Amino acid sequence: MGLIIRSSTIHAAGCYTTAPIAKGTRVVEYTGPLIDKDEADVRYEGRPITYLFGIGDGTRVIDGHGTAMFINHSCDANCETEEIDEHVWITAIRDIAAGEELCYDYCLYDGDEENAPCNCGAQACRGSMFSPEELQQRERLARKAAGKRLSVKTKKKSHRKKQSKEAQAQQKPAGKFGKTLVKAKKKPASTSRQNKTAGGKKKQVIERPAGKSQKKIQA
Ligand SMILES: [Zn+2]
């Protein structure tokens, strides 16, 4: 099957198939060096665009370098990702016609970014490339922080200190400073994740916030 990279209405460049692809086909591997997430955080700190894909427990990521890193996110995707023995594959979840753009759900997590707006245009677009779990978690933290701030005002002094500290802690988005955004494999709703990437066991990390450094990386 032929895959080509060309401009996309979803984002910058996208990956298109020149031939029909049958549901269930492993289309392309997400290739690139496997590095520690910590190393990626250092390497890409402050960079709005990265192509990291978390594998295993999320402590290691694939630093995308190849065709698959151009595949865009969609909330109503025609592909999904599979992790097999530390390799990540993009697999068709429905029949795909020649000429269609390939896309899968990035399920972003673990970044310092405040948001990761989605432009997929799907009817069911959730408005963000963050995973539903990540969005819930962020909402929870925001609510908690707001609630604590309110209650702090009505508490006695001794409590006040403690609670405002907690509130401060809660205000921080998941993760610490200097984190790079990571793509994760879509997982069944209901898994809760602890801090950073530790929760699920099959996270893919792909990062690719809006921008256009794809060319840069490729060149
Ligand atoms: Zn969307």
Side-chain angles (χ1 to χ4, degrees):
M1 93 194 61
L3 300 179
I4 56 169
I5 308 299
R6 65 170 175 82
S7 62
S8 162
T9 54
I10 297 178
H11 168 85
C15 182
Y16 294 75
T17 177
T18 58
I21 299 174
K23 179 180 176 177
T25 304
R26 269 185 211 164
V27 183
V28 61
E29 183 178 353
Y30 197 95
T31 51
L34 195 55
I35 60 174
D36 286 343
K37 175 62 166 64
D38 292 344
E39 190 187 334
D41 286 342
V42 173
R43 191 180 290 182
Y44 294 112
E45 179 167 16
R47 295 266 289 271
I49 300 194
T50 60
Y51 297 89
L52 305 176
F53 200 110
I55 63 164
D57 63 2
T59 55
R60 294 204 293 166
V61 299
I62 297 171
D63 191 1
H65 192 87
T67 303
M69 74 185 217
F70 290 101
I71 299 176
N72 279 319
H73 161 96
S74 173
C75 299
D76 182 19
N78 50 22
C79 293
E80 66 178 8
T81 54
E82 288 183 284
E83 181 184 327
I84 301 162
D85 297 333
E86 298 200 324
H87 291 266
V88 169
W89 288 88
I90 315 299
T91 301
I93 52 175
R94 64 166 170 79
D95 291 339
I96 302 172
E100 274 194 77
E101 177 172 3
L102 304 181
C103 47
Y104 61 94
D105 191 328
Y106 280 7
C107 289
L108 292 181
Y109 70 104
D110 203 25
D112 288 336
E113 284 74 8
E114 283 183 15
N115 51 42
C118 180
N119 299 313
C120 78
Q123 264 195 329
C125 178
R126 61 179 179 266
S128 171
M129 294 187 288
F130 282 133
S131 69
E133 295 80 14
E134 179 77 19
L135 288 173
Q136 277 172 13
Q137 162 115 337
R138 283 167 181 252
E139 215 175 274
R140 256 199 315 272
L141 289 176
R143 264 204 311 268
K144 250 188 195 168
K148 293 241 161 130
R149 276 197 298 273
L150 282 179
S151 68
V152 165
K153 287 183 187 162
T154 66
K155 296 282 178 184
K156 288 182 196 162
K157 241 187 192 168
S158 58
H159 282 162
R160 186 187 296 166
K161 248 185 190 165
K162 192 178 166 208
Q163 294 222 345
S164 68
K165 254 187 199 165
E166 283 173 8
Q168 278 172 8
Q170 298 290 2
Q171 282 173 45
K172 274 193 201 164
K176 312 173 246 173
F177 285 106
K179 291 242 160 167
T180 49
L181 203 54
V182 167
K183 284 174 186 175
K185 182 175 170 182
K186 197 170 185 177
K187 47 188 176 142
S190 90
T191 317
S192 70
R193 133 176 114 72
Q194 292 148 351
N195 51 9
K196 51 189 291 193
T197 60
K201 54 179 175 183
K202 292 212 174 176
K203 293 209 165 156
Q204 306 167 336
V205 183
I206 295 174
E207 300 179 355
R208 107 138 196 331
K212 51 171 176 191
S213 53
Q214 304 188 335
K215 268 185 191 152
K216 205 171 168 188
I217 290 180
Q218 204 179 27

